Amino acid sequence: MFTNSETEQQVAEFLLQIKAIKLQPNNPFTWASGWKSPIYCDNRVTLSHPTIRTYIRQQLTSAIQEMFGSVGCIAGVATAGIPQGALVAQELGLPFIYVRAKPKEHGTGNLIEGEISPGKRVVVIEDLISTGKSSLQAVEALRDAGYTVAGLAAIFSYGFDVAAENFKNAKCPYFTLSNYNALIKYAEEHQYITNGDVQMLKQWRDQPSTWGQ
């Protein structure tokens, strides 16, 4: 597993700084799943900040080379993984494709968009990992199409045990530039949150499906 504490803290700082991550322990968000959450993450915001966008692209690129070695293609997960993946592919000088959540309902009905030969060794790019379900659907689609998935890279992970288990079961190595533990550490040290908030945030991560009920 790729780990770099300096990168973890820098990405956490950037995400909090531009409000790509919002922490509201006392006024929780409601996710599409119905879960109540003290945190909301939208890494699309990084694309509007050139310095941060460049840093993330460079860190993803160097970590991919360190973790996965030589690869033949980068694949983004629709939709938020598409721009991040395209930036990484450009940096590496590689072909780029992307994977839809479901096949296109008209025209060719494609699930995978782009043109590369099956058999290529592919790294999948995602913006965020929660349970890993949508990311691993893309991995499965690529494997079904004849590609070899070297692994998956993302900007941030909530660090749920279920995600680690899902990736292990799918035999798909993965890494993220930053994670929930690094975020909470940075947020506490720089007074984005109080000591009381830290305990609440840790409780949520341990029991996300029932927290706040």
Side-chain angles (χ1 to χ4, degrees):
M1 171 66 72
F2 168 85
T3 55
N4 184 314
S5 58
E6 182 179 341
T7 299
E8 288 176 351
Q9 291 293 292
Q10 182 62 78
V11 171
E13 177 184 352
F14 282 149
L15 297 181
L16 286 166
Q17 183 185 93
I18 64 174
K19 296 182 171 59
I21 284 183
K22 298 177 182 177
L23 296 170
Q24 295 181 187
N26 297 308
N27 184 24
F29 303 94
T30 301
W31 286 4
S33 63
W35 288 4
K36 295 293 183 182
S37 171
I39 180 172
Y40 184 77
C41 181
D42 181 6
N43 290 324
R44 296 173 181 85
V45 178
T46 64
L47 298 166
S48 301
H49 299 266
T51 299
I52 296 173
R53 183 181 69 210
T54 298
Y55 181 83
I56 287 172
R57 182 192 76 225
Q58 291 173 339
Q59 294 303 311
L60 284 171
T61 298
S62 61
I64 285 168
Q65 291 172 317
E66 178 182 333
M67 277 280 293
F68 306 125
S70 178
V71 297
C73 178
I74 299 296
V77 180
T79 58
I82 293 175
Q84 304 292 350
L87 289 166
V88 169
Q90 179 68 21
E91 183 85 354
L92 289 169
L94 292 174
F96 175 74
I97 58 177
Y98 71 87
V99 186
R100 294 175 173 272
K102 59 181 181 179
K104 189 162 58 175
E105 295 177 354
H106 57 277
T108 58
N110 289 347
L111 179 60
I112 299 170
E113 298 286 3
E115 294 183 350
I116 63 166
S117 303
K120 291 279 189 182
R121 193 163 179 266
V122 177
V123 169
V124 180
I125 302 293
E126 182 66 282
D127 75 318
L128 172 69
I129 295 174
S130 53
T131 65
K133 182 180 177 182
S134 60
S135 303
L136 290 170
Q137 284 177 341
V139 169
E140 183 179 359
L142 288 162
R143 286 172 171 170
D144 288 346
Y147 302 109
T148 298
V149 177
L152 181 141
I155 298 171
F156 186 80
S157 169
Y158 293 118
F160 295 142
D161 290 340
V162 66
E165 189 68 20
N166 286 339
F167 276 92
K168 180 181 176 181
N169 291 339
K171 294 182 173 59
C172 180
Y174 75 102
F175 73 85
T176 63
L177 296 183
S178 193
N179 55 70
Y180 195 72
N181 288 343
L183 176 82
I184 300 309
K185 180 176 183 290
Y186 183 89
E188 182 181 18
E189 289 176 353
H190 293 82
Q191 301 180 327
Y192 281 88
I193 52 177
T194 66
N195 289 337
D197 291 336
V198 172
Q199 295 308 311
M200 195 182 301
L201 288 159
K202 288 180 177 177
Q203 289 169 2
W204 172 76
R205 211 273 296 278
D206 291 340
Q207 298 289 337
S209 62
T210 57
W211 185 86
Q213 295 181 5

